[in-house]
Amino acid sequence: AQSVTQPDIHITVSEGASLELRCNYSYGATPYLFWYVQSPGQGLQLLLKYFSGDTLVQGIKGFEAEFKRSQSSFNLRKPSVHWSDAAEYFCAVGAYSGGGADGLTFGKGTHLIIQP
Amino acid sequence: DTAVSQTPKYLVTQMGNDKSIKCEQNLGHDTMYWYKQDSKKFLKIMFSYNNKELIINETVPNRFSPKSPDKAHLNLHINSLELGDSAVYFCASSQDSSGNTIYFGEGSWLTVV
């Protein structure tokens, strides 16, 4: 069975500073990897995804993530955070098998706090 | 137009009641899901349907029953509500089951009192 670990429950970053959110996954085959963001009281918005190809993927709002198979990681980065980036961030792995919709397995989330 | 829409967004109800949450997607997707987010914000899949057919049924009490009248709709019925059912329920959809992106609705905040 697949699993996702986000080791940081909370991260505090100053506005304008760089950001890296960690994500490690466990899956027996090539994973489909996603980052979603959830603002307070809101739904889940897809930031970016990795299916195959270039291991550095660009997403919305200036985010990027790098897939490193050797480390089983898919860390999310942003060079300069804005106060509006304060939210909950979820890493997820998709385990798709032929003929079945297995859905996503989520990490427990990282709560990002932006300080002025 | 909202791609995946679910109603109601907020629902407060008493223990023992029966309630439903409706979900519709206008993306033409074949696969729809229900996820539950608990008070610690942990997200877990409950059900998935592919072309109106139940594919995944995780360990969920049988008080929860999904119903898919057509592939654009997946409603969630909950009978005999309990305090522990309080959570945010997310509907989602994907093109099919072969690795496409899952798009989420905005969530339904259920509070059982």
Side-chain angles (χ1 to χ4, degrees), chain B residues 9 13 17 19 22-24 29-30 32-33 37-38 44 49 53 55 57 66-70 81 95 100 105 107:
Chain B
K9 183 164 185 177
T13 188
N17 284 349
K19 291 295 177 186
K22 296 184 177 181
C23 179
E24 176 182 6
H29 288 171
D30 288 340
M32 295 186 71
Y33 311 81
Q37 185 176 42
D38 63 22
K44 188 173 181 183
Y49 269 72
E53 184 177 336
I55 301 298
N57 184 355
K67 287 186 171 55
S68 182
D70 55 63
L81 279 156
Q95 179 63 51
N100 284 286

Side-chain angles (χ1 to χ4, degrees), chain A residues 3-10 22-24 35-36 38 44 87-93 105-112, chain B residues 37-44:
Chain A
S3 66
V4 177
T5 301
Q6 292 180 247
D8 303 306
I9 297 174
H10 300 278
R22 296 184 290 165
C23 172
N24 293 97
W35 275 99
Y36 285 87
Q38 184 181 27
L44 291 161
E88 195 84 19
Y89 290 80
F90 293 94
C91 181
V93 62
T105 298
F106 283 86
K108 294 190 175 183
T110 297
H111 185 64
L112 176 63
Chain B
Q37 185 176 42
D38 63 22
S39 58
K40 295 183 179 179
K41 296 196 177 290
F42 183 57
L43 277 152
K44 188 173 181 183

Side-chain angles (χ1 to χ4, degrees), chain A:
Chain A
Q2 66 276 10
S3 66
V4 177
T5 301
Q6 292 180 247
D8 303 306
I9 297 174
H10 300 278
I11 281 189
T12 301
V13 177
S14 297
E15 191 170 12
S18 64
L19 170 71
E20 183 170 30
L21 302 182
R22 296 184 290 165
C23 172
N24 293 97
Y25 68 91
S26 172
Y27 184 56
T30 299
Y32 296 89
L33 293 160
F34 305 82
W35 275 99
Y36 285 87
V37 61
Q38 184 181 27
S39 297
Q42 299 297 314
L44 291 161
Q45 183 180 24
L46 178 69
L47 285 176
L48 47 77
K49 61 189 178 187
Y50 171 78
F51 284 177
S52 64
D54 192 350
T55 56
L56 183 64
V57 291
Q58 303 297 320
I60 62 171
K61 303 185 180 185
F63 286 92
E64 66 177 27
E66 187 170 12
F67 170 58
K68 292 186 178 180
R69 184 187 300 274
S70 61
Q71 298 177 18
S72 298
S73 69
F74 188 57
N75 294 347
L76 181 71
R77 301 193 293 248
K78 186 170 184 178
S80 176
V81 297
H82 186 262
W83 64 266
S84 60
D85 293 324
E88 195 84 19
Y89 290 80
F90 293 94
C91 181
V93 62
Y96 298 99
S97 56
D102 296 336
L104 296 175
T105 298
F106 283 86
K108 294 190 175 183
T110 297
H111 185 64
L112 176 63
I113 300 167
I114 307 295
Q115 61 184 19

Side-chain angles (χ1 to χ4, degrees), chain B residues 5-75:
Chain B
S5 59
Q6 48 185 114
T7 56
K9 183 164 185 177
Y10 300 102
L11 181 58
V12 180
T13 188
Q14 290 186 324
M15 286 174 52
N17 284 349
D18 303 335
K19 291 295 177 186
S20 295
I21 305 172
K22 296 184 177 181
C23 179
E24 176 182 6
Q25 54 94 2
N26 61 7
L27 298 166
H29 288 171
D30 288 340
T31 306
M32 295 186 71
Y33 311 81
W34 277 106
Y35 283 80
K36 179 180 179 180
Q37 185 176 42
D38 63 22
S39 58
K40 295 183 179 179
K41 296 196 177 290
F42 183 57
L43 277 152
K44 188 173 181 183
I45 191 167
M46 300 173 68
F47 303 101
S48 78
Y49 269 72
N50 192 37
N51 267 317
K52 303 194 302 175
E53 184 177 336
L54 180 64
I55 301 298
I56 293 177
N57 184 355
E58 293 295 313
T59 307
V60 175
N62 57 16
R63 298 180 294 104
F64 290 78
S65 56
K67 287 186 171 55
S68 182
D70 55 63
K71 74 174 191 177
H73 295 84
L74 181 62
N75 303 325

